[in-house]
Amino acid sequence: MMLSHEAPLLKPTQLHAAESDAAVELAKDNAANRVYLESDGKAPNGQIPYYPDFAKDADQDGSSEQHIRLGSRVEGLQ
């Protein structure tokens, strides 16, 4: 899973013209702010070992609130 440090990683061309100086600079900033979270073990399909409640549907009605979304936070990561 790729995380970001301090802010979401927006596509440079979402904010700037392709190949512009600003787009190139944002791409460099994005690369410096990426954090990769990995696990040593192979998890079953659809499961994340370090996020056991991922997509858990407590009400059994298909309306899980346990998805990872833009703006979700990871705290206490070691």
Side-chain angles (χ1 to χ4, degrees):
M1 177 186 312
M2 184 175 59
L3 308 171
S4 67
H5 180 255
E6 295 184 354
L9 303 176
L10 299 175
K11 282 184 85 80
T13 54
Q14 183 177 352
L15 302 175
H16 309 289
E19 299 184 24
S20 67
D21 290 342
V24 170
E25 188 64 31
L26 182 54
K28 288 179 187 176
D29 291 346
N30 282 348
N33 288 326
R34 289 184 185 123
V35 177
Y36 293 92
L37 180 60
E38 298 179 349
S39 174
D40 289 339
K42 179 161 175 50
N45 197 16
Q47 294 183 7
I48 302 174
Y50 42 82
Y51 188 4
D53 290 336
F54 175 71
K56 186 175 181 182
D57 187 0
D59 296 329
Q60 300 295 312
D61 64 359
S63 65
S64 174
E65 294 296 323
Q66 300 298 324
H67 284 89
I68 301 167
R69 302 193 187 288
L70 183 67
S72 293
R73 297 175 57 105
V74 176
E75 296 181 9
L77 191 62
Q78 296 183 15

